[in-house]
Amino acid sequence: MTRDHEKLSAFLDGELSPEETREIELALESSAEMREELESLMASDRAAQDEFAAMLDEPVPIELASKVENAPVLSAANSPSKPSSFTWLTAIAACLALIIGGAGGYLAGSTNNTQLASAPGWLEDIADYHRVYAGQERHLVEVAASEADHIETWLTKTVGARVKIPDLSQHGLTFRGARLLVAAGKPVSQLMFTDELGQVVALCLIQTDTPADGFTQRTIDGFEMISWGGANANFVIVGDEGRADLKEIAQTAAVDA
């Protein structure tokens, strides 16, 4: 593991001092290689969290459940008292270890395709990316707005769902360009807009066979998010927490999409 890898991991976990954090931010602005490594780390972290969450949703194999139910309760030798809560917690922890470790192959082999299609956890990934890229200036986007036609063709082909740049000028937003992200292990298009104050609003799209119903508002890691489903895709508009016009922006983007 390289020193940069260790520093980026600590950066994502919020373990760096303000000086070290600024050092990483400056390095990210100047190094495409470091930005790619950061994106890879975020994707790996989210994939691991999603895999664990999916494992907990899977039914426990009958044989394993039977072993857990019939497992003897251990107590201290020569102790007349009932087993303590610590004993039960220890037993529960041991059972979880069995489920995650011994049954890992079973769970991994029975991953539900619907879970993959709906890309659980993709909004958390988007929040991670937005936290990093919204603070950039020179490297806010990967492809500039001047290449709008190329952006739509490139991202549509890569993401697997139609990507169209909406006109959000009525909300005081200017299209700045686009990026390709990875969320929940799937490619995601990110269209970046800024207002007259330089605040960043992003429109992201991920392909899915199970689009969401209606508009849903969430706050994740200090960012406001409005998500909705469309033709074989899910969308989300991301802005600073408390931004009052985000729902109206999302409604305009949904009409244009």
Side-chain angles (χ1 to χ4, degrees), residues 147-219:
E147 299 185 69
D149 290 341
H150 166 66
I151 287 173
E152 292 183 337
T153 302
W154 161 55
L155 289 177
T156 295
K157 180 178 179 180
T158 305
V159 174
R162 181 171 177 263
V163 175
K164 181 181 178 183
I165 302 168
D167 181 2
L168 302 180
S169 58
Q170 62 180 290
H171 302 287
L173 295 174
T174 300
F175 179 56
R176 297 288 302 278
R179 283 185 173 278
L180 177 65
L181 310 178
V182 177
K186 300 184 68 173
V188 173
S189 69
Q190 184 186 51
L191 307 179
M192 305 286 263
F193 300 80
T194 56
D195 61 19
E196 64 277 6
L197 298 177
Q199 295 178 321
V200 178
V201 172
L203 170 62
C204 300
L205 175 154
I206 189 170
Q207 188 279 330
T208 180
D209 296 327
T210 55
D213 294 325
F215 290 88
T216 301
Q217 185 165 354
R218 294 179 60 186
T219 301

Side-chain angles (χ1 to χ4, degrees), residues 119-134:
W122 82 290
L123 294 182
E124 286 78 4
D125 278 350
I126 296 305
D128 286 340
Y129 279 115
H130 198 75
R131 176 166 52 85
V132 173
Y133 289 128

